Amino acid sequence: MRRLRRGVCAAIVMCVSVGSAQAADPVPLPDGQLASNVSIAGVAVGGMTVEQARAQVLGLRVAPRLEPLLLSLQGRTITIRPAAAGYSADVQATLDAALRYGRTLPSDAPVDVPLVHSVDQQKLRGLLTYRAKEIEKRPRDAALRWNGNRPRVIPSQRGLGIKTNAAVKSVSAMMLARTQNFVALPWQRLQPKVHYIGPVIVVNRAARKLTLYRGEERIRVFSVAVGTAAHPTPRGVFRIIQMQKNPTWFPPNSPWAKGLGPVAPGRGNPLGTRWMGTSADAVGIHGTPASYSIGTAASQGCIRMHIGEAEWLYRRVNMGTPVRIV
């Protein structure tokens, strides 16, 4: 009798155990329905259908990231649209990842599936480079102007620009995180190419004077000889394009020079010991052994100086020095 009871009890226990095991088997999720403990980027979508979850993710996570983003460069601002700047979200890939929980992946604990989204770095860089001109401040080169016959200098000025590599990183990070609708762009100072105006020469034909300036500062005034009425020194703004020590004088192709020269270097050379050729045709500033001609209109168009003074001037000018003849 006892054996019979033990057998019955064992059978009952076995049945209960089998029944409990069958009751613990998970109920398969319906097609297109997310597990109850799944969220996407912090949005609770557990138990929703794919389309319901899609609407929630689009409305609460994607739409805010597509709103215009304000970029500021030291108070200068532009607005960009993330979609045009390379932002995109793959909501379908996100939903597919969420659907795997409770099916091919366990879902015993709460699961938050990240939003699948990205920023095309090349596209963002191109847009920032294109739009930068709207907010960058370009540097200004120092420039030479004239106040009558005196030089006037427009000083150089540094600019303000975007650090493009750093800006791509910060804007990209904000488009993905979207914790705010504003990005302060990393910036850098832009340096001008021309920082200052160096020597400037002004030749006054009527006064027979050459004045050397450094920028706007008058350095020294010289008496010079200028061209005759038949061969006048030309008016205009030119620049020094040739500099030569102890030049050889070659006669120009002109009737007055026929049969003359060439003359080897030395103090007896018609050009003295220094030649500073200008962009005016065949016109230069040079020394002369004919010191008696200084202060007169005696040359074939050149500006003559005392030899020692021409050497002094030569040391203080350079290629490209402006020469204004009035």
Side-chain angles (χ1 to χ4, degrees), residues 78-288:
I78 58 173
T79 300
I80 65 170
R81 295 192 173 276
Y87 175 81
S88 62
D90 193 338
V91 178
Q92 186 58 54
T94 304
L95 292 169
D96 290 344
L99 281 168
R100 286 198 289 271
Y101 288 94
R103 291 180 170 84
T104 61
L105 295 173
S107 60
D108 299 332
V111 175
D112 188 46
V113 178
L115 177 64
V116 179
H117 59 173
S118 63
V119 177
D120 184 327
Q121 304 289 296
Q122 186 174 355
K123 192 171 185 179
L124 175 58
R125 180 183 296 276
L127 183 138
L128 288 176
T129 301
Y130 176 74
R131 298 289 304 279
K133 62 180 178 293
E134 300 176 35
I135 52 177
E136 287 184 328
K137 181 181 178 183
R138 305 311 302 170
R140 183 180 70 194
D141 289 341
L144 177 64
R145 301 289 184 267
W146 296 95
N147 183 11
N149 294 331
R150 292 181 64 91
R152 182 170 68 88
V153 174
I154 306 299
S156 65
Q157 192 173 76
R158 292 189 301 171
L160 184 70
I162 295 172
K163 284 186 175 180
T164 306
N165 289 340
V168 168
K169 291 181 180 179
S170 59
V171 175
S172 178
M174 184 56 69
M175 285 199 290
L176 294 173
R178 206 53 187 254
T179 54
Q180 60 186 33
N181 295 327
F182 171 84
V183 177
L185 294 170
W187 57 275
Q188 61 185 335
R189 289 294 182 186
L190 302 178
Q191 300 298 327
K193 294 179 180 179
V194 181
H195 293 270
Y196 67 95
I197 299 298
V200 180
I201 293 172
V202 176
V203 177
N204 188 311
R205 301 185 310 170
R208 277 61 156 179
K209 298 292 183 183
L210 181 152
T211 303
L212 174 67
Y213 293 87
R214 184 180 295 115
E216 296 182 356
E217 178 187 5
R218 187 168 65 180
I219 303 300
R220 189 170 173 183
V221 180
F222 303 91
S223 292
V224 296
V226 296
T228 63
H231 300 93
T233 301
R235 295 177 183 269
V237 178
F238 309 100
R239 57 189 177 88
I240 292 177
I241 60 172
Q242 296 175 334
M243 295 185 68
Q244 187 176 359
K245 292 182 179 181
N246 302 313
T248 296
W249 181 73
F250 295 94
N253 185 18
S254 182
W256 68 267
K258 188 175 181 180
L260 301 177
V263 179
R267 286 187 171 262
N269 189 290
L271 302 180
T273 60
R274 299 292 185 271
W275 165 259
M276 292 157 273
T278 75
S279 53
D281 187 30
V283 173
I285 302 169
H286 62 85
T288 179

Side-chain angles (χ1 to χ4, degrees), residues 55-68:
Q56 289 293 303
V57 173
L58 285 172
L60 298 177
R61 291 296 179 263
V62 178
R65 287 173 167 80
L66 295 175
E67 289 294 319

